[in-house]
Amino acid sequence: MSQSAHSPAGDALQFRGLILDFAGVLTASPLAVHRAWCASEGLDEEAWRSTLNDNPDGRRLYAALEVGEIDQVTWNEGTAALLGPHVDPANLMGRAWSGVPVAARMVALARAAREAGLQLALLSNSFGLAPFDPYRHVGIWDMFDVHVVSELVGMAKPDPAIYELTLSRLGLSGRECVFVDDHAVNLPPAEALGITTVHAQDEAAAVARLEALLGISASLTA
């Protein structure tokens, strides 16, 4: 897989903030876990992906969850019904997501950045906080100085306003920050604010790019 970065002013910048997406950046890709979960539920292995992304009702429910129009319990009930009559809605999101591992090298990089004096911001399109809190489940919530979670702020990436809010909470300009996301569509609004972006498609490559940009070294034993 390839991994790329866009820097509006080159690499010779003194960065003061690191903004990280959650799923697919601070966690491994969830695809294999979701396929295994579907099989364990007696579903086609692509049922989770297709229900959330291809089914119009599934897309509507997920979009409403992202911006806090519905809570995770309501989403669980609606999405379980779309997946199949035998699917138990109880903690559906937690059952499907709890096996997704943390991206250990990226977390180590984030901790090294914080130790080097950078401010850390979590900028995440939410998939609910209760009964399953994905951020605390993998133990990353407390390492951030700023949390911008779509469910809590009523807007989601790639809305430009959510990037502006993140910068405001950090008290930094765009040119002082690096943003990492695994979805290319989420990068241009950040770049428009002068933020240097890294498109994370491979954890090792993304960490190496961040080490070069920030002048730090991540260690799994640190």
Side-chain angles (χ1 to χ4, degrees):
M1 292 185 181
S2 64
Q3 175 273 337
S4 61
H6 175 82
S7 174
D11 294 350
L13 295 173
Q14 182 61 51
F15 294 110
R16 298 176 59 198
L18 177 60
I19 306 168
L20 297 174
D21 174 41
F22 177 65
V25 173
L26 289 161
T27 75
S29 169
L31 294 178
V33 171
H34 289 164
R35 288 172 179 145
W37 177 82
C38 286
S40 75
E41 294 281 327
L43 300 168
D44 181 273
E45 68 173 14
E46 294 300 322
W48 181 268
R49 184 203 59 76
S50 63
T51 299
L52 272 60
N53 294 291
D54 301 332
N55 183 307
D57 290 332
R59 291 200 309 270
R60 177 183 57 79
L61 281 168
Y62 198 83
L65 176 65
E66 280 190 323
V67 296
E69 292 176 358
I70 62 174
D71 61 18
Q72 196 181 82
V73 171
T74 301
W75 181 89
N76 286 342
E77 293 169 352
T79 302
L82 295 176
L83 285 166
H86 69 286
V87 177
D88 185 356
N91 193 28
L92 175 66
M93 186 69 81
R95 297 192 341 260
W97 263 93
S98 59
V100 178
V102 71
R105 284 174 290 186
M106 185 62 76
V107 170
L109 181 283
R111 294 191 187 282
R114 194 175 193 191
E115 289 174 4
L118 277 77
Q119 292 189 71
L120 295 188
L122 175 69
L123 175 53
S124 173
N125 281 1
S126 173
F127 40 100
L129 296 168
F132 176 69
D133 184 332
Y135 311 106
R136 296 191 187 280
H137 177 73
V138 296
I140 59 90
W141 184 264
D142 291 338
M143 75 180 188
F144 286 93
D145 302 291
V146 167
H147 305 87
V148 181
V149 176
S150 62
E151 175 184 2
L152 300 178
V153 300
M155 52 186 164
K157 295 175 290 184
D159 184 342
I162 201 168
Y163 304 86
E164 294 169 356
L165 176 64
T166 304
L167 292 177
S168 175
R169 290 188 175 180
L170 283 169
L172 299 174
S173 69
R175 293 191 177 277
E176 294 176 295
C177 295
V178 178
F179 170 55
V180 187
D181 201 293
D182 62 324
H183 291 294
V185 70
N186 292 333
L187 302 180
E191 292 162 6
L193 294 170
I195 300 171
T196 295
T197 61
V198 174
H199 185 196
Q201 297 173 280
D202 173 82
E203 183 185 3
V207 168
R209 181 62 177 136
L210 288 168
E211 287 179 326
L213 279 170
L214 302 176
I216 61 175
S217 179
S219 171
L220 289 174
T221 60

